Amino acid sequence: MKDSKVLTIQDYSSFGQCSLSVALPIISAMGIETISLPIALLSTHTSGFEGYTYIDLKDNVVPAVKHYKSLGLDFDFIYLGYLGSSATAKAVEEVCNLYPDAQLIVDPAMAENGSFYDGITNDFVQSISALCKKSNIALPNLSEACLLSGTEYAPIQTKESILNICQKLVETGIKRFVITGIRTKTGMCLAYCDNNEIKFIDTQEVKGDFLGSGDVFASTLTGALANGLDLSQSLDMAVKYTQKTVEVTSQDKSHWYGLKFEKTIPYLIELLNTAK
């Protein structure tokens, strides 16, 4: 199998262990050449910090990718994370049109616990939905799945309510997806739809809020897929690595702003070597 190349487009928050500062090292550690294109540069991420700086780079996205095309550079995967605005999403959609053969992985990063992230507005839902419909796989958390499916958010779900959300996502045109962060009365799980079949995977709950866990999960999944693993194998690896990293991070109560993924990279490589 030829070596894969991944283009990842999302923000770069210099401090806070999320977005590109997570995607680039994790996917690279998995042996995949990773080209990172920031849509914005922030001093910190927007959760729990005030007074952060923000430089909008969306106008550079399309020219940069056209430059890549002129160089004959090909990408096997395009992985989208936090985009932040409808204008940026439209620019990124143009990028996807330039590389129609690349597998598109979309993390529709816009909400958590039933609320939008800072700066996200309702019009963004339609823009990111259009990208999810183009994707080979979309990776919404529960809040984002509810927004994309037009379903009312509830923090505690039943299997029947999750099946309903999944069916509505399929009806919108999002055919292949993973919903993370689902809490039921019996514990945590994720749900995924592949080939019109909906399956559930139980996950371990660690008490607390762990910012950036979705980025760690999505980046690991992308790296696994780029290594030629199937979706089931990739999900298994992403779940195990994210859970391990959350457990390690939970031991340091002062580290509230992201996951200490650097400490668990050896475990990630071990998982990958075992899977391959």
Side-chain angles (χ1 to χ4, degrees):
M1 185 180 76
K2 75 178 185 67
D3 291 340
S4 294
K5 285 186 177 67
V6 172
L7 171 65
T8 180
I9 306 175
Q10 45 193 306
D11 75 280
Y12 184 84
S13 296
S14 298
F15 180 75
Q17 292 164 306
C18 70
S19 301
L20 285 181
S21 65
V22 168
L24 178 58
I26 286 179
I27 302 172
S28 297
M30 298 175 78
I32 301 300
E33 185 174 352
T34 309
I35 296 85
S36 55
L37 184 57
I39 56 91
L41 177 63
L42 290 82
S43 55
T44 68
H45 60 65
T46 63
S47 298
F49 294 106
E50 294 183 358
Y52 54 83
T53 64
Y54 183 98
I55 299 174
D56 191 340
L57 300 175
K58 70 176 180 297
D59 291 340
N60 181 57
V61 171
V62 173
V65 174
K66 286 183 176 179
H67 181 220
Y68 298 153
K69 288 288 288 187
S70 74
L71 297 173
L73 185 57
D74 267 331
F75 303 111
D76 303 284
F77 293 82
I78 297 176
Y79 160 36
L80 306 180
Y82 177 85
L83 301 180
S85 72
S86 294
T88 303
K90 291 184 186 303
V92 169
E93 190 168 4
E94 185 174 345
V95 168
C96 296
N97 292 336
L98 289 169
Y99 284 96
D101 295 329
Q103 292 195 48
L104 179 60
I105 301 171
V106 180
D107 177 1
M110 59 180 167
E112 186 77 42
N113 298 322
S115 299
F116 282 129
Y117 293 145
D118 190 24
I120 298 291
T121 57
N122 280 313
D123 65 334
F124 182 71
V125 178
Q126 297 304 314
S127 298
I128 200 68
S129 177
L131 286 168
C132 288
K133 291 172 186 177
K134 289 177 176 287
S135 72
N136 293 90
I137 186 164
L139 306 173
N141 62 29
L142 176 60
S143 297
E144 292 154 355
C146 289
L147 288 165
L148 291 168
S149 63
T151 306
E152 185 176 354
Y153 171 80
I156 306 295
Q157 298 285 332
T158 63
K159 184 176 181 180
E160 290 72 23
S161 64
I162 291 299
L163 288 172
N164 178 58
I165 293 170
C166 290
Q167 184 58 44
K168 288 184 178 299
L169 285 174
V170 170
E171 289 171 0
T172 69
I174 305 173
K175 303 297 187 184
R176 198 165 180 244
F177 54 83
V178 180
I179 305 175
T180 60
I182 301 169
R183 178 175 280 103
T184 69
K185 290 182 179 180
T186 57
M188 299 291 294
C189 69
L190 60 80
Y192 70 99
C193 181
D194 189 23
N195 293 321
N196 293 316
E197 186 177 3
I198 298 168
K199 298 181 180 180
F200 292 84
I201 299 175
D202 291 331
T203 58
Q204 181 179 343
E205 181 175 10
V206 179
K207 296 296 183 183
D209 291 324
F210 295 94
L211 299 169
S213 56
D215 296 316
V216 170
F217 178 87
S219 299
T220 306
L221 184 71
T222 299
L225 292 169
N227 268 284
L229 303 185
D230 63 25
L231 180 58
S232 178
Q233 292 173 303
S234 299
L235 281 172
D236 181 66
M237 184 179 302
V239 167
K240 287 178 178 176
Y241 180 60
T242 304
Q243 288 184 168
K244 177 70 170 180
T245 308
V246 166
E247 290 168 6
V248 169
T249 305
S250 69
Q251 297 168 15
D252 182 355
K253 301 304 180 185
S254 68
H255 202 96
W256 57 268
Y257 49 82
L259 294 191
K260 300 174 75 170
F261 70 91
E262 301 91 344
K263 301 292 185 183
T264 54
I265 288 291
Y267 177 64
L268 174 63
I269 296 171
E270 178 186 328
L271 288 173
L272 181 61
N273 288 337
T274 300
K276 294 176 71 174

